Amino acid sequence: MNTETTITVQSTSDNQTRQFNWLSAEGSPPPTHVVAVDDRLTADKAQQWAAQGTAMAWEGDFQNARQLLSALARRVAGTQDQPSGSPAETFHRYREQRSHRARVLRNLLVPLGPGHVLSLRRAPDVRQACTEVYGASSTTSLVPLRELLGVIGAHEWREKGVQVPALGERVHAHYGVFSPVRGEYVDLVAEAPLPARTLAFDLGTGTGVLAAVLARRGVERVVATDVDPAAIACAKDNFARLGLSERCETVRTDLFPPGRAPLVVCNPPWVPARPHAPLERAVYDPGSRMLRSFLDRLGAHLEPGGEGWLVLSDFAERLELRTRDELLKAFADAGLRVLDRLDTRPGHPATADETDPLHAARAAEITSLWRLSPN
């Protein structure tokens, strides 16, 4: 989200006052106090200012700014306790600390000139990466360095793509769209027995990876929906890359498109918690809103004999944020019965990281595809 807030900064190089627009795709609020800094700034002073909520507009060498950001991250980590207590308490404390870390680190800012030109010494060319995320620019802006590095990284991943074994090809995620780096849930959709091959709905499609898998399995028409315009654009891009544009269509809507289908697939956010940033909405679902909406509305959008496929991890259950009985009750309350359940274990690196406060839950996690049908 690019706000229209104007920020005034007095430069250290020539003592001139400059005006900047505030820029943040993550929706970070504009700082209320900004000081101009350069390579003379120490990490200790930067930590002091950042912890107080003072933002720093960088005028020095870009690579030195990156090093300073890393130093700030280490200092913040050193002041935080290892979360402990019940799994739920550990999770909430972990989330609080991650949120605090983000608030501190976003106080190091860098300037972008018109056209998103980053004119700091030893700075990379970020024009294309920024245009993909922020759109065209004719003004001078300030953006959190931490966010800008994420924009650069997302552009690189967008260009490279992620190999999806179930497709035998790469899927390219746009900034802010969850990348299918965890392939186990994709494999479940690739292996479950299809109830029909005429039509399928893929709800909350994101990159479009599940819709593409269904089309490659022989489903004649797949309607992929998402409420996020960035996800719709990303899915369209991937369908075109994969040669599936004629069989996969996109509809921007909240979950269900009009009509009924013999197969409806949904991979909602797995953790019932509040996201701290827009980019976390693919992971965190406050009050399980999307999950419950899918279950409650599924019967009205299934053809007779049709199936709803719910792809869901039990990570929330391991964290004691939701019980299995609560999930089964949600099925029953929606008038649904379980036809079958396919399970798999994730193999991502976090499952082996014993320093992760949530390691026990990650190591035991199981991802399931629930085959559901109206009673």
Side-chain angles (χ1 to χ4, degrees):
M1 178 181 65
N2 183 4
T3 73
E4 297 298 326
T5 302
T6 300
I7 299 172
T8 301
V9 181
Q10 187 168 12
S11 174
T12 58
S13 59
D14 55 14
N15 206 33
Q16 296 294 311
T17 298
R18 290 184 170 85
Q19 302 290 322
F20 298 87
N21 285 335
W22 176 244
L23 195 63
S24 176
E26 293 183 355
S28 299
T32 56
H33 184 217
V34 184
V35 295
V37 297
D38 55 27
D39 300 295
R40 295 170 292 180
L41 179 66
T42 66
D44 288 338
K45 187 62 176 179
Q47 181 186 15
Q48 177 187 346
W49 275 341
Q52 294 171 349
T54 297
M56 296 155 282
W58 188 259
E59 296 182 338
D61 178 88
F62 178 78
Q63 300 303 328
N64 288 347
R66 292 192 61 168
Q67 292 177 10
L68 178 61
L69 187 68
S70 297
L72 276 175
R74 291 192 297 271
R75 281 166 166 76
V76 172
T79 63
Q80 295 181 337
D81 299 327
Q82 186 76 1
S84 60
S86 69
E89 291 170 340
T90 298
F91 169 76
H92 289 302
R93 180 60 179 158
Y94 168 80
R95 292 281 291 148
E96 288 173 359
Q97 292 185 352
R98 297 280 293 183
S99 179
H100 171 74
R101 178 178 181 271
R103 287 195 301 271
V104 171
L105 296 184
R106 74 184 180 209
N107 282 319
L108 185 58
L109 316 176
V110 293
L112 293 174
H116 301 302
V117 174
L118 181 58
S119 57
L120 300 176
R121 296 189 305 277
R122 293 200 293 168
D125 185 346
V126 301
R127 291 174 295 175
Q128 182 177 350
C130 288
T131 301
E132 289 172 351
V133 175
Y134 303 118
S137 170
S138 60
T139 62
T140 301
S141 307
L142 280 176
V143 61
L145 173 59
R146 182 171 179 265
E147 177 175 317
L148 179 61
L149 294 176
V151 168
I152 296 170
H155 170 71
E156 293 172 350
W157 275 106
R158 178 172 174 171
E159 291 293 305
K160 180 181 178 181
V162 174
Q163 185 70 23
V164 178
L167 288 172
E169 297 189 60
R170 292 183 177 272
V171 166
H172 301 257
H174 295 192
Y175 180 84
V177 181
F178 193 74
S179 178
V181 290
R182 289 185 55 168
E184 80 276 2
Y185 73 92
V186 180
D187 292 339
L188 287 174
V189 173
E191 296 164 2
L194 289 169
R197 297 178 184 271
T198 53
L199 172 64
F201 296 162
D202 174 29
L203 312 184
T205 193
T207 61
V209 61
L210 297 185
V213 168
L214 292 172
R216 284 289 173 84
R217 292 191 63 187
V219 177
E220 297 171 5
R221 176 172 171 244
V222 184
V223 180
T225 75
D226 209 294
V227 72
D228 182 5
I232 291 295
C234 181
K236 284 184 176 180
D237 179 41
N238 281 310
F239 296 154
R241 288 174 182 266
L242 296 168
L244 296 173
S245 295
E246 293 185 0
R247 297 172 62 187
C248 296
E249 64 181 89
T250 56
V251 175
R252 186 184 174 192
T253 188
D254 188 4
L255 284 184
F256 292 90
R260 296 173 179 263
L263 175 60
V264 179
V265 179
C266 184
N267 174 32
W270 291 346
V271 183
R274 181 175 63 87
H276 291 156
L279 300 184
E280 294 184 342
R281 290 173 184 162
V283 179
Y284 300 103
D285 182 19
S288 300
R289 185 204 68 84
M290 182 174 175
L291 169 62
R292 292 185 179 278
S293 182
F294 165 70
L295 296 175
D296 292 342
R297 299 164 62 190
L298 177 61
H301 289 274
L302 279 178
E303 292 182 356
E307 295 183 16
W309 288 1
L310 171 65
V311 182
L312 193 68
S313 159
D314 69 352
F315 189 52
E317 297 173 25
R318 306 285 177 180
L319 295 173
E320 299 179 355
L321 302 176
R322 178 175 57 227
T323 67
R324 177 55 57 91
D325 286 344
E326 288 173 336
L327 179 63
L328 296 178
K329 184 177 185 301
F331 294 166
D333 289 346
L336 302 171
R337 61 189 176 95
V338 178
L339 300 176
D340 193 11
R341 191 186 78 217
L342 308 179
D343 296 335
T344 187
R345 289 189 176 274
H348 57 88
T351 60
D353 182 6
E354 297 184 1
T355 65
D356 182 354
L358 307 181
H359 170 258
R362 297 193 200 279
E365 179 184 6
I366 294 175
T367 303
S368 301
L369 185 152
W370 297 82
R371 295 175 57 204
L372 305 172
S373 176
N375 289 324

